Amino acid sequence: MKRRDFLTAAGAGVAASAAVAMPAIAQSSPEVKWRCTSSFPKSLDTIFGAGELMARSVAEITDGKFQIQMFAAGEIVPGLQALDATQNKTVEMCHSASYYYVGKDPTFALGTAVPFGLNTRMMNAWFQFGSGLTLLNEFYKKYGVVMLPGGNTGGQMGGWFRKEIKSVADLKGLKMRIAGMGGQVLARLGVVPQQLAGGDIYPALEKGTIDAAEWVGPYDDEKLGLYKVAQYYYFPGWWEGCAALNFFVNDEKLAELPKAYRAALVTAAARANESMLASYDYKNPPAIENLVKAGTQLRRYPDDVMDAAYKESSALYEEIGAKNPDFKKIYEDMKAYRGPAYQWWQIAEYTYDNFMIRARSRG
Amino acid sequence: MKRRDFLTAAGAGVAASAAVAMPAIAQSSPEVKWRCTSSFPKSLDTIFGAGELMARSVAEITDGKFQIQMFAAGEIVPGLQALDATQNKTVEMCHSASYYYVGKDPTFALGTAVPFGLNTRMMNAWFQFGSGLTLLNEFYKKYGVVMLPGGNTGGQMGGWFRKEIKSVADLKGLKMRIAGMGGQVLARLGVVPQQLAGGDIYPALEKGTIDAAEWVGPYDDEKLGLYKVAQYYYFPGWWEGCAALNFFVNDEKLAELPKAYRAALVTAAARANESMLASYDYKNPPAIENLVKAGTQLRRYPDDVMDAAYKESSALYEEIGAKNPDFKKIYEDMKAYRGPAYQWWQIAEYTYDNFMIRARSRG
């Protein structure tokens, strides 16, 4: 197990392109202005705020000489075109979620979340000290970008339902707003997945055009007001045991940066990566209380749904892996860490949390 | 709930001393050389490595102009004098654990770990988005230092025992190497706490001078070889549900830094804070496997020990708080977040982990 860190991994991704694009700048502290397009609106302050923290940190530590201007989704390009805009140099970098691009290649899912993947701390460990970031950046090189972890939402919720789900049978024919691989797995269980932008979820759920919808977790979901039109709030969000956000940087643009600016960017991204998680962990607790006070009914997914989803997820990974060597290689590497990681997790972390949860409920 | 981040909090800690020590340096990128003394030996690569990552990051992003040289415990001052050396300007900063200084004031415990405190993610959330870092830095100001979070070990183990512990009665008269408040709580349950440096634990346990010892977790404990002289390895480490390490920076020295260097230091510390946790989360899983293969018997602390320890901890906090307003204020603030935080934790995170743990053991 070799130690790897952000800078090494980012450096590896840069090496090849450095030969293509020689640093054009001789000065060591030139004025550099970049644009970073986000896939998210400013109203998602936890996520968008991490992008802003990255940009502000870079500016502060370079005395304002390296400026990265953040743009919300739609200001330069629509949210889901952030990666393309970075690849084709419309912008130098973006803040996005890798799994938005599974249409290009399912391997993109592994940079953010796959059903029954790692939890948040494991994801960061696999990225930084396992081979996660190195393998993913080998893959992203095909798209001309280098990825730096750019925050995490923590474990998500499993969505809002207008009717209770008591078994797999209740999922049949249900129209649910859900994206990515979670949707593919649910489709195997009879759900009809729908793709809707954040702002369109509330009216669709209100009118009954859809029966269920997933978004993020209490803090973000409360803002969308989904509790007003769907009573049952399910957990856990088994398709997003964590969701890693990502900074994608055009690899030639990164190679053109003075070395110190590159280090500033990598270090600032790491700070943003940690800060977003802390933000969610602080804001979700009061939000779940508000939701419950407003009448939300919390429900745990029935065991048969969890088991069936787990089985179908494994089958899906087999099918994808048989056709896609990149997916197979990176998924298998993640899985090889996940087993021992959970074996350890259940000892100190899980039993501590278990006791604290019980102690709290006893008062 | 106001948003707070490292920089704001560090800035707050600096404001007062800035009036005392005017920046002596007119240039914006002067050569600055600092020394950072660690409370740890280089052999603790996870912890010491985070200090090195901080220093390396600062050097890289300032083009080598701001150099921080790391020193292992004992090279400049002994490990437990790191804070004093920072306060009296022998060094500009140190990498240490706040709870080593509970002899000065029990409030120091709250910067690292108290029995039945927050888990790791909650600690970071409380530091950064709650009032944790702000309140602690108001306290640390008395010692002329500003604290930046400097890594976390994650949830620790509950120590090595030569005999099985089946109930509180088995703790009576047991000589155990354990430091800080965990030791104070165990003393109330009949344990005789012993203070021993890391290197002295193995021979004491081998000779039977002590009956039990706690250190950190699988990765660090394996290196000490404790499994060779004590068979039973208990969990969870209820006195360290997480243990935050800390960078303490002399506040006048911090105020003298050019603004960009201060930002570099804060950002690099945040990166190190995250990286240490990822390092432990990657290295502990194979270590626990090795220990079990070598014959270690894993044991969960009996319920009556956990319950008695929880009760005695609460009583201890009452007693300390009655005499110490700093402790009371900061502990109460932490506790006010802990309740809602665990109420939320048990929903998405805990049930996800629960399913994944069961799925793994079913194969």
Side-chain angles (χ1 to χ4, degrees), chain B residues 130-209:
Chain B
S131 306
L133 200 49
T134 304
L135 292 176
L136 284 163
N137 272 324
E138 281 172 12
F139 166 74
Y140 293 133
K141 202 188 286 186
K142 296 182 184 180
Y143 298 86
V145 296
V146 173
M147 188 269 270
L148 300 170
N152 204 304
T153 63
Q156 297 198 4
M157 288 293 283
W160 298 85
F161 290 77
R162 288 161 62 98
K163 287 187 189 148
E164 261 191 282
I165 304 300
K166 294 194 169 155
S167 76
V168 175
D170 294 333
L171 294 173
K172 199 127 253 156
L174 223 61
K175 277 177 265 168
M176 180 169 185
R177 185 271 173 196
I178 178 170
M181 284 201 179
Q184 283 178 265
V185 172
L186 278 169
R188 289 164 170 255
L189 303 179
V191 168
V192 186
Q194 314 278 314
Q195 304 277 5
L196 287 177
D200 298 332
I201 300 175
Y202 184 97
L205 204 51
E206 189 181 29
K207 281 181 217 145
T209 315

Side-chain angles (χ1 to χ4, degrees), chain B residues 95-142:
Chain B
H95 190 213
S96 190
S98 183
Y99 69 1
Y100 288 160
Y101 310 100
V102 289
K104 298 178 191 289
D105 187 319
T107 310
F108 276 100
L110 295 161
T112 297
V114 293
F116 304 103
L118 303 172
N119 72 17
T120 306
R121 279 175 45 182
M122 293 174 193
M123 192 75 163
N124 278 322
W126 178 61
F127 277 165
Q128 294 175 52
F129 287 85
S131 306
L133 200 49
T134 304
L135 292 176
L136 284 163
N137 272 324
E138 281 172 12
F139 166 74
Y140 293 133
K141 202 188 286 186
K142 296 182 184 180

Side-chain angles (χ1 to χ4, degrees), chain A residues 7 60 155 342 349-350 354, chain B residues 7 60 155 342 349-350 353-354:
Chain A
L7 200 54
E60 284 169 350
Y342 263 113
E349 290 291 340
Y350 186 80
N354 175 280
Chain B
L7 200 54
E60 285 170 348
Y342 263 113
E349 289 290 342
Y350 186 80
D353 287 336
N354 174 280

Side-chain angles (χ1 to χ4, degrees), chain A residues 5 7 56 60-61 116-117 121 155 263-264 273-274 281 289 337 339 342-343 345 349-350 352-354 360, chain B residues 5 7 56 60-61 116-117 121 155 264 273-274 281 289 337 339 342-343 345 349-350 352-354 360:
Chain A
D5 66 33
L7 200 54
R56 194 169 71 239
E60 284 169 350
I61 61 191
F116 304 103
R121 279 175 46 183
N273 188 50
E274 158 175 282
D281 286 342
E289 283 194 334
Y337 167 63
Y342 263 113
Q343 189 172 45
W345 193 268
E349 290 291 340
Y350 186 80
Y352 184 77
D353 288 336
N354 175 280
R360 194 202 63 79
Chain B
D5 66 33
L7 200 54
R56 194 170 71 239
E60 285 170 348
I61 62 191
F116 304 103
R121 279 175 45 182
N273 188 49
E274 158 175 282
D281 286 342
E289 283 195 334
Y337 167 62
Y342 263 113
Q343 190 173 43
W345 193 269
E349 289 290 342
Y350 186 80
Y352 185 76
D353 287 336
N354 174 280
R360 194 202 63 79

Side-chain angles (χ1 to χ4, degrees), chain B residues 33-34 38 52 56 64 81 103 115 151 155 191 209 211 217 252 298 305 311 335 353:
Chain B
K33 285 192 196 304
W34 273 20
S38 176
E52 291 178 313
R56 194 170 71 239
Q81 288 170 31
V191 168
T209 315
D211 308 294
E252 294 181 18
L298 295 172
V305 172
K311 202 179 135 202
K335 200 176 143 190
D353 287 336

Side-chain angles (χ1 to χ4, degrees), chain B residues 202-356:
Chain B
Y202 184 97
L205 204 51
E206 189 181 29
K207 281 181 217 145
T209 315
I210 57 174
D211 308 294
E214 70 95 37
W215 183 233
V216 181
Y219 180 71
D220 293 329
D221 291 11
E222 187 186 7
K223 285 193 273 186
L224 285 193
L226 303 182
Y227 63 97
K228 294 176 198 157
V229 287
Q231 191 180 2
Y232 301 103
Y233 198 20
Y234 274 81
F235 62 89
W238 46 264
W239 52 87
E240 283 168 297
C242 83
L245 288 297
N246 318 89
F247 293 111
F248 291 108
V249 188
N250 181 283
D251 57 7
E252 294 181 18
K253 288 289 170 188
L254 184 59
E256 285 170 16
L257 282 182
K259 224 172 119 192
Y261 289 9
R262 216 147 64 206
L265 178 60
V266 168
T267 307
R271 181 186 184 184
N273 188 49
E274 158 175 282
S275 174
M276 189 196 296
L277 179 65
S279 171
Y280 272 109
D281 286 342
Y282 198 75
K283 292 168 181 169
N284 276 326
I288 194 84
E289 283 195 334
N290 293 344
L291 290 170
V292 169
K293 273 183 208 146
T296 296
Q297 300 285 316
L298 295 172
R299 291 287 184 276
R300 192 185 181 290
Y301 270 115
D303 285 342
D304 78 325
V305 172
M306 294 294 290
D307 290 340
Y310 187 79
K311 202 179 135 202
E312 291 301 335
S313 299
S314 303
L316 179 65
Y317 302 145
E318 281 292 321
E319 288 170 27
I320 297 171
K323 290 177 288 191
N324 188 320
D326 286 332
F327 182 91
K328 189 179 167 68
K329 181 168 70 176
I330 304 176
Y331 175 74
E332 294 293 338
D333 187 78
M334 182 272 277
K335 200 176 143 190
Y337 167 62
R338 191 185 60 186
Y342 263 113
Q343 190 173 43
W344 159 237
W345 193 269
Q346 80 183 94
I347 299 170
E349 289 290 342
Y350 186 80
T351 56
Y352 185 76
D353 287 336
N354 174 280
F355 181 84
M356 294 305 290

